[in-house]
Amino acid sequence: MSLTTTLRTTTPFAVNGVTYRPPARPVVVICIDGCADEYLSVSIVKGRMPHVARLAGQGYRGLVRSALPSFTNVNNAAIVTGTPPRVTGICGNYFLDPATGKEVMTNSSKFLRARTILASAAEAGRKVAFITAKDKLRELFSVGLIEHGGIAFSAEKSDQVTLAEHGINDTVKLVGQAPPIYSADASLYVLRAGAALVAAGRSDFLYLSLTDYMQHKFAPEAAASLDFYEGINREVGRLLELGAVVGITADHGMNAKNTPDGKPNVIYLESELNVQFGGGFRVICPITDPYVVHHGALGSAVTVYVPKGADLDAVARWTLDREGVTEVHTRETAARKLELIPDMIGDLYVLSGRDVALGKTPGDHDLSQLEGGLRSHGGRYEEMVPMVLSEPLTDAYAAKAAGDPRNFHIFDFTCNGVRA
Amino acid sequence: MSLTTTLRTTTPFAVNGVTYRPPARPVVVICIDGCADEYLSVSIVKGRMPHVARLAGQGYRGLVRSALPSFTNVNNAAIVTGTPPRVTGICGNYFLDPATGKEVMTNSSKFLRARTILASAAEAGRKVAFITAKDKLRELFSVGLIEHGGIAFSAEKSDQVTLAEHGINDTVKLVGQAPPIYSADASLYVLRAGAALVAAGRSDFLYLSLTDYMQHKFAPEAAASLDFYEGINREVGRLLELGAVVGITADHGMNAKNTPDGKPNVIYLESELNVQFGGGFRVICPITDPYVVHHGALGSAVTVYVPKGADLDAVARWTLDREGVTEVHTRETAARKLELIPDMIGDLYVLSGRDVALGKTPGDHDLSQLEGGLRSHGGRYEEMVPMVLSEPLTDAYAAKAAGDPRNFHIFDFTCNGVRA
């Protein structure tokens, strides 16, 4: 713990309406992508996460509510800014851009409407590092970071870093070769890199964002998953040894979406609506991203653009009647209830049940890319995620945790809410 | 484990479409009333449930979906029959009986439309015991049980038992004086009684249903809650020592429903609708039961009877617009989506968010009875509950658990799904 005494106390900083007072110790926030609470529960009772179990026992373990739709970009944007999607501007991984009429991924900082906690922390003098498994998030959330001395790189492209763009140029020397993106190591690399930067005294305020490749592929009790979580546990233990205050959450949960015979359980909503109501429907799958092996762009939330002249109420009622559909909201209701921006979503917003995925048309989803059955997320059943903190909560934050805490309060809890 | 070798194998029996093949060991299904998964998670990482942690590590731990509305009678009925509310006929603790036009509690077996697994097991030769904390459930689920040699009694009235009505007349001698119903011991007594019956060789097929008094009163990390769960752990350990196959689930979860200043966060929907739409609305709170200290009849699901001539669509839209309301369904949609019986619910069915409760009018709910803030259940955010099994799943049931398993499959999992 000798490092902790050599860190200076940092200046408090305010961003997006919250003042952060990070403790004078390394602060490490980890987003375990796709970490449904069951992954921790099962790994802990199997004895595979002793450091995390101890951390949770001494600190805090509970559930927090993520932002809907429960997708990666939506929730990483919320986490790094401390604000819901209606403030971040990131309402999906993928959307129909009203400015251009084109379908685009949100993997560019030009879509991010809120300042990040990371940039503000760097500006306030913290040595900030943002490390992500998937390169898609790297540029998106490093706005304002590098110019204030911060570091931002991905495991995926950790061998392609420059001081100018990433604030670091020796990642391979520090952590090793870039791992394959479709691997457990893509996530473990991120944690190892974080610990290496802390150990070297080069970072003391970190956001480590993993990938859900393993969770899409394996249920919590699968041997490969248990090995993966044991790996996470090892790196978290290393961060604790280095004196870090650690906050862990997830961007979304994960559920199997298969029929009893193991085939993906999918409602192809665009196809069904076109058959039923005569064409012109356009379904957008906001889970869509460059990493196709994970999910084939099938998730538990889609948005529907309804053709002019269609009876919106009738379409909504018919859609809700589909077995496996749990909620159908109009644009205005969805924007209010799901904290989204109306002109970034379609006329209807549709959520599906625990074991059901929503798609566009069979031709739009390459199921051959799915290794094993479908596991995915995006809806209400993947909304609740864990929050684990390495230190006990203050009374004020214990009260906050007892209400309706959100995963995007994780920096607030980790910086302001613990007795560190 | 010597007991296990002396038990005979029982005849398989079929009830409500499922054939049960209970192992030739004591089979104990426990419903920890109001046991949100966080109660187990926190108690385990605090080191207070070592037997349950070991049991889960060697057997199975996961999440199952309860029946909506997530209330006690609804889910106990589902569990003891293995069927959803549309089959059991128990769609709330409380409802407007269409046959009489009167509001009544469902604490009578005359409302139960399905045969119980307990009665069938007794008829097939198992020595069945059903022990419940609250007496309200006792008569409801003991139909067909006593006449086949079974035992059924409550902790609440364990000093008022007769052979004719309860199949036992020495409960006080066996387990001690009846505990106060508003106590941790009301639940622990149930577990102690179950273990005593197993130890005495008087029961080998048990359903032990606790009360959620403690969960309504305490969050998972409260000292009193941790002590309570340590008590549960002790009795579960005793059952394991006795060679029992143990299956644990819950009827519903539990969430705090308070404003930031600690006051109950309630939408008085009948009052609001009468002001907005001119009177004649009737809201039924299906959580209502005789145990008023728990929740003041405030839960996260209510049903609304709309006056003749009102614009149902407008009422539904206005209700959904209320902050904290998450879902509003018409009778037909609610019946289909929530597995309910149309004529046992109102014109609209309303669910609220994680930290919000729904009520009738301020005068209908005695908040002075609430000790501390409000914690309650009934909606989607209290739907997911734990399932813990003492033995590993068979491959077939591992596949079933990976789909959308329900809490009312717990007898199926415990009897048919484990390698016992």
Side-chain angles (χ1 to χ4, degrees):
Chain A
M1 305 285 250
S2 61
L3 265 176
T4 65
T5 54
T6 59
L7 282 171
R8 66 203 156 79
T9 307
T10 52
T11 318
F13 60 91
V15 52
N16 305 321
V18 177
T19 298
Y20 296 85
R21 295 181 175 79
R25 287 167 56 187
V27 170
V28 182
V29 168
I30 301 171
C31 175
I32 307 182
D33 195 337
C35 186
D37 198 53
E38 303 94 289
Y39 285 99
L40 298 184
S41 294
V42 172
S43 301
I44 286 172
V45 296
K46 296 278 186 192
R48 305 295 287 270
M49 298 197 94
H51 298 309
V52 171
R54 194 181 72 242
L55 171 159
Q58 294 171 354
Y60 177 81
R61 181 180 178 189
L63 291 180
V64 288
R65 191 158 63 87
S66 70
L68 286 171
S70 44
F71 292 126
T72 294
N73 291 20
V74 174
N75 278 283
N76 272 274
I79 289 169
V80 297
T81 62
T83 64
R86 72 158 65 96
V87 178
T88 68
I90 308 290
C91 297
N93 298 343
Y94 188 80
F95 78 116
L96 183 64
D97 188 345
T100 64
K102 294 218 167 84
E103 296 179 24
V104 284
M105 295 190 193
T106 57
N107 300 336
S108 164
S109 58
K110 74 178 177 197
F111 297 116
L112 187 65
R113 300 183 184 185
R115 185 173 169 82
T116 73
I117 297 164
L118 306 175
S120 295
E123 200 177 15
R126 290 295 289 226
K127 291 182 277 185
V128 177
F130 164 46
I131 314 178
T132 164
K134 297 172 177 172
D135 200 63
K136 73 167 182 171
L137 298 183
R138 200 257 321 153
E139 189 274 335
L140 179 49
F141 301 130
S142 55
V143 194
L145 182 52
I146 311 305
E147 55 264 47
H148 290 109
I151 292 170
F153 66 97
S154 70
E156 185 179 6
K157 299 196 176 169
S158 63
D159 51 356
Q160 300 165 44
V161 290
T162 62
L163 279 177
E165 196 175 345
H166 305 87
I168 189 169
N169 65 0
D170 61 345
T171 53
V172 172
K173 189 174 153 205
L174 194 75
V175 210
Q177 290 298 326
I181 188 62
Y182 295 131
S183 72
D185 205 43
S187 287
L188 299 178
Y189 185 99
V190 171
L191 297 173
R192 280 201 307 275
L197 287 173
V198 173
R202 291 168 65 178
S203 301
D204 60 28
F205 192 100
L206 297 87
Y207 180 52
L208 307 178
S209 184
L210 314 187
T211 161
D212 58 3
Y213 169 71
M214 293 296 287
Q215 290 87 349
H216 273 290
K217 205 166 152 64
F218 298 108
E221 50 278 357
S225 179
L226 294 168
D227 290 346
F228 175 53
Y229 275 87
E230 185 173 271
I232 292 175
N233 176 74
R234 189 172 52 240
E235 301 308 325
V236 169
R238 175 96 178 104
L239 288 165
L240 294 174
E241 268 174 29
L242 292 166
V245 177
V246 176
I248 300 173
T249 191
D251 49 353
H252 55 75
M254 187 71 70
N255 280 306
K257 309 277 181 185
N258 300 305
T259 57
D261 64 354
K263 298 271 192 315
N265 190 12
V266 185
I267 297 170
Y268 291 104
L269 194 56
E270 186 174 295
S271 300
E272 290 200 15
L273 287 170
N274 280 332
V275 167
Q276 183 66 23
F277 292 97
F281 287 84
R282 192 165 173 186
V283 165
I284 301 288
C285 299
I287 192 176
T288 309
D289 79 355
Y291 304 93
V292 291
V293 171
H294 289 62
H295 46 61
L298 295 165
S300 352
V302 297
T303 189
V304 183
Y305 289 84
V306 170
K308 278 205 179 86
D311 179 343
L312 191 68
D313 277 356
V315 172
R317 274 197 306 274
W318 188 88
T319 303
L320 184 56
D321 273 353
R322 302 273 67 68
E323 181 82 24
V325 169
T326 50
E327 293 175 58
V328 177
H329 298 294
T330 60
R331 173 183 282 120
E332 291 67 31
T333 303
R336 196 166 45 245
K337 296 287 171 184
L338 313 184
E339 308 166 298
L340 301 174
I341 296 168
D343 71 358
M344 297 187 78
I345 61 176
D347 302 292
L348 293 175
Y349 215 91
V350 183
L351 304 180
S352 62
R354 189 187 188 196
D355 59 343
V356 181
L358 298 165
K360 214 168 151 70
T361 77
D364 285 303
H365 301 276
D366 183 1
L367 303 189
S368 72
Q369 295 287 313
L370 293 174
E371 302 173 357
L374 176 62
R375 299 176 58 78
S376 198
H377 55 92
R380 194 76 75 172
Y381 287 91
E382 297 86 26
E383 187 188 15
M384 299 307 296
V385 293
M387 177 169 77
V388 181
L389 298 163
S390 62
E391 327 289 320
L393 293 175
T394 63
D395 290 347
Y397 277 77
K400 189 169 177 174
D404 184 24
R406 310 297 300 272
N407 67 340
F408 56 81
H409 297 153
I410 185 71
F411 274 103
D412 183 20
F413 273 92
T414 311
C415 290
N416 302 328
V418 299
R419 299 185 190 145
Chain B
M1 304 288 248
S2 60
L3 264 177
T4 65
T5 54
T6 60
L7 284 172
R8 66 203 156 76
T9 307
T10 52
T11 318
F13 60 90
V15 52
N16 305 321
V18 177
T19 299
Y20 295 85
R21 296 183 175 80
R25 286 167 57 186
V27 171
V28 182
V29 168
I30 301 171
C31 175
I32 307 181
D33 195 336
C35 186
D37 198 53
E38 302 93 288
Y39 285 99
L40 299 184
S41 293
V42 172
S43 301
I44 287 172
V45 296
K46 296 279 186 192
R48 304 295 287 270
M49 298 197 95
H51 297 310
V52 171
R54 194 182 71 243
L55 172 158
Q58 292 170 356
Y60 177 81
R61 180 179 179 191
L63 291 180
V64 289
R65 192 158 62 87
S66 71
L68 286 170
S70 45
F71 293 127
T72 294
N73 291 20
V74 175
N75 278 283
N76 273 273
I79 289 170
V80 298
T81 62
T83 64
R86 72 158 64 98
V87 178
T88 68
I90 308 290
C91 298
N93 298 343
Y94 188 81
F95 77 116
L96 183 65
D97 188 344
T100 64
K102 294 218 167 84
E103 296 179 24
V104 284
M105 294 190 193
T106 58
N107 301 335
S108 164
S109 59
K110 76 179 177 200
F111 297 116
L112 187 65
R113 301 182 184 185
R115 185 174 170 81
T116 72
I117 297 164
L118 306 174
S120 296
E123 199 176 16
R126 289 297 288 226
K127 292 183 277 185
V128 177
F130 164 46
I131 314 177
T132 163
K134 296 173 177 173
D135 200 63
K136 73 167 184 173
L137 298 183
R138 201 256 322 152
E139 188 274 335
L140 179 50
F141 301 130
S142 56
V143 195
L145 182 53
I146 311 304
E147 55 265 47
H148 291 108
I151 291 169
F153 66 98
S154 70
E156 184 180 5
K157 300 196 175 168
S158 63
D159 52 357
Q160 301 166 44
V161 291
T162 62
L163 279 177
E165 196 175 344
H166 304 87
I168 189 168
N169 64 1
D170 62 346
T171 52
V172 172
K173 189 173 153 208
L174 194 74
V175 210
Q177 291 297 327
I181 188 62
Y182 295 131
S183 71
D185 205 44
S187 288
L188 299 179
Y189 186 99
V190 172
L191 297 174
R192 280 201 306 276
L197 288 173
V198 173
R202 290 167 65 178
S203 301
D204 60 26
F205 192 99
L206 297 89
Y207 179 52
L208 307 178
S209 184
L210 314 186
T211 162
D212 57 4
Y213 169 71
M214 293 297 286
Q215 290 87 349
H216 273 290
K217 206 166 152 63
F218 298 107
E221 50 278 358
S225 180
L226 293 169
D227 289 346
F228 175 54
Y229 275 86
E230 185 172 88
I232 292 176
N233 176 73
R234 189 171 52 239
E235 302 308 325
V236 171
R238 175 96 178 105
L239 288 165
L240 294 175
E241 268 174 28
L242 291 165
V245 178
V246 176
I248 300 173
T249 191
D251 50 353
H252 53 76
M254 188 71 69
N255 279 307
K257 309 277 181 183
N258 299 307
T259 56
D261 63 354
K263 299 269 191 317
N265 190 12
V266 185
I267 298 170
Y268 291 105
L269 194 56
E270 187 174 294
S271 301
E272 290 200 16
L273 288 170
N274 281 333
V275 167
Q276 183 68 23
F277 292 97
F281 287 84
R282 192 165 174 187
V283 164
I284 301 289
C285 300
I287 192 176
T288 308
D289 78 356
Y291 305 92
V292 290
V293 171
H294 290 62
H295 46 61
L298 295 165
S300 353
V302 297
T303 188
V304 182
Y305 289 84
V306 170
K308 278 206 179 86
D311 178 343
L312 191 66
D313 277 356
V315 173
R317 272 197 305 274
W318 187 87
T319 303
L320 184 55
D321 273 353
R322 304 271 67 67
E323 181 81 24
V325 170
T326 49
E327 292 175 58
V328 177
H329 297 294
T330 60
R331 173 183 282 120
E332 292 66 33
T333 302
R336 196 167 45 245
K337 295 288 172 183
L338 313 184
E339 306 165 299
L340 301 173
I341 296 168
D343 70 359
M344 298 188 76
I345 61 176
D347 302 292
L348 293 174
Y349 214 91
V350 184
L351 304 180
S352 61
R354 189 186 188 196
D355 60 343
V356 181
L358 297 165
K360 212 168 154 72
T361 77
D364 286 303
H365 302 274
D366 183 1
L367 302 189
S368 73
Q369 295 287 310
L370 292 175
E371 302 173 357
L374 176 63
R375 298 176 58 78
S376 198
H377 56 92
R380 194 76 74 173
Y381 286 92
E382 297 86 27
E383 186 188 16
M384 300 308 296
V385 292
M387 177 168 78
V388 181
L389 298 163
S390 61
E391 326 290 318
L393 294 175
T394 63
D395 290 346
Y397 278 75
K400 190 169 176 174
D404 183 27
R406 309 298 299 272
N407 67 340
F408 55 81
H409 297 153
I410 185 71
F411 274 103
D412 183 20
F413 273 92
T414 312
C415 291
N416 301 328
V418 299
R419 298 185 191 144

